[in-house]
Amino acid sequence: MKLPGPDHPITVEPHGGEVAVRFAGQVVARSRRALILREASYPPVVYIPLADVEPRFLGPSDHTSHCPYKGDARYWTLVVEDRSAANAMWAYPAPYPAMAAIAGHAAFYPSRVDAIELHPPIG
């Protein structure tokens, strides 16, 4: 486990607006409680409460990954009618203590969904 610091900063803040994730003509997630995670030089990542994700669009995935700063992630495949996006959503079920704010939240790969709409946009 690594801790965020000056060499690898990570911040988590409320978005303060609305977020909608669209895939195959459906809104698969919508929230006014989203978080924005900024990590080192990576693009910001939107984390949405799992309660604000439509479970009917989630399919199983055996894929997992590990982040030395956040912990072990699990993934879900988006399924809408005849369209799917493998491993499009991930979450850290038990994030490391320094990243506890993202517990109960999930993120989507922008390249695997049609849109992640933020109102207001983030800079």
Side-chain angles (χ1 to χ4, degrees):
M1 172 179 19
K2 293 184 177 182
L3 294 174
D7 293 339
H8 193 96
I10 302 176
T11 61
V12 180
E13 306 168 338
H15 171 52
E18 184 175 81
V19 176
V21 179
R22 297 181 186 279
F23 177 73
Q26 297 290 326
V27 174
V28 297
R30 182 184 304 275
S31 183
R32 294 193 63 79
R33 303 177 297 149
L35 302 172
I36 305 298
L37 183 142
R38 289 181 171 84
E39 178 175 2
S41 61
Y42 300 114
V45 176
V46 178
Y47 278 83
I48 297 170
L50 286 164
D52 295 340
V53 177
E54 285 287 341
R56 65 188 166 132
F57 298 128
L58 300 179
S61 173
D62 292 333
H63 186 67
T64 61
S65 66
H66 177 79
C67 171
Y69 294 94
K70 297 181 216 83
D72 295 320
R74 70 169 291 210
Y75 291 73
W76 290 263
T77 294
L78 285 176
V79 180
V80 175
E81 296 178 12
D82 62 344
R83 198 165 156 213
S84 66
N87 306 318
M89 186 183 94
W90 77 92
Y92 292 90
Y96 292 147
M99 294 289 100
I102 63 171
H105 289 69
F108 293 85
Y109 284 107
S111 62
R112 297 182 189 174
V113 298
D114 297 334
I116 300 175
E117 301 168 351
L118 291 96
H119 305 283
I122 59 172

